[in-house]
Amino acid sequence: MSSFIPGFNNTLDPKAQFYLELADQCAAILQGQRNLISNTANVSSLVYHGLRETPTRDGKPVNWVGFYLADVKRPDVMALGPFQGKPACTEIAFGRGVCGTAASTAKSVVVKDVCDFPGHISCDPASKSEIVVPLKAPNGKVHGVLDIDASVTDAFDDFDRIGLEAIVNLVAEASDF
């Protein structure tokens, strides 16, 4: 299986190659499973361990990877979903913090230094930078976000954004909402 990720024109780049391989692994574990909780649990684990173990990261700074999922009873709130890392905030409102901003705008947010993000919600003081990718159903409705924190500033870039958007799209296509 060989994934194609739009935006990765140079697949010889080690980071692009890493995300292509990670996308292949995600596609394999998602195959035949439609349950959103199962899929987000396995993908959060795969991404967490993949990012921590990859040689393209100095110091392996990723300290939290997980999903916040829209609460069916309160559509303006996301509840903590499957994750890897220390305990986290249990609820985040759409529009609040980095996760809520990504959910309300339906766009990925890369934060080089969380101290510079107005309204940042600090669940773990060790987190210094963050990337959040919206989880959108095929109809475009946001059903949650993938949130990744790192213990160093400036840990994420466009390669991460493009690669993680592709992975989250795989989750959305494989899951029932």
Side-chain angles (χ1 to χ4, degrees):
M1 185 183 318
S2 180
S3 292
F4 171 75
I5 298 178
F8 284 169
N9 297 330
N10 177 7
T11 57
L12 297 178
D13 183 285
K15 207 172 202 185
Q17 191 60 42
F18 164 77
Y19 278 110
L20 289 167
E21 292 170 11
L22 190 61
D24 282 346
Q25 293 171 22
C26 286
I29 65 169
L30 294 168
Q31 191 170 10
Q33 178 55 260
R34 302 292 309 165
N35 184 279
L36 179 63
I37 299 300
S38 294
N39 288 342
T40 54
N42 273 332
V43 169
S44 65
S45 178
L46 187 65
V47 170
Y48 178 80
H49 291 286
L51 288 174
R52 289 178 61 89
E53 295 165 8
T54 181
T56 62
R57 297 214 171 284
D58 296 330
K60 298 178 174 93
V62 171
N63 61 333
W64 201 90
V65 174
F67 287 87
Y68 282 91
L69 302 172
D71 188 319
V72 293
K73 294 182 181 179
R74 296 181 301 155
D76 59 334
V77 173
M78 292 180 292
L80 179 63
F83 72 93
Q84 300 287 308
K86 291 182 178 180
C89 302
T90 57
E91 294 182 343
I92 297 177
F94 277 67
R96 226 177 133 242
V98 182
C99 290
T101 298
S104 65
T105 63
K107 294 182 180 172
S108 298
V109 179
V110 178
V111 180
K112 293 181 182 291
D113 186 339
V114 296
C115 294
D116 295 338
F117 190 89
H120 173 257
I121 301 167
S122 179
C123 296
D124 180 356
S127 295
K128 305 296 181 207
S129 60
E130 186 171 4
I131 184 168
V132 180
V133 178
L135 173 65
K136 297 182 268 189
N139 67 5
K141 182 177 179 188
V142 175
H143 286 274
V145 297
L146 171 64
D147 179 21
I148 303 177
D149 295 353
S151 59
V152 297
T153 58
D154 204 16
F156 305 106
D157 59 20
D158 270 346
F159 276 109
D160 297 295
R161 180 187 56 77
I162 293 166
L164 293 167
E165 285 174 348
I167 287 167
V168 170
N169 286 339
L170 289 172
V171 172
E173 291 167 7
S175 302
D176 292 329
F177 292 96

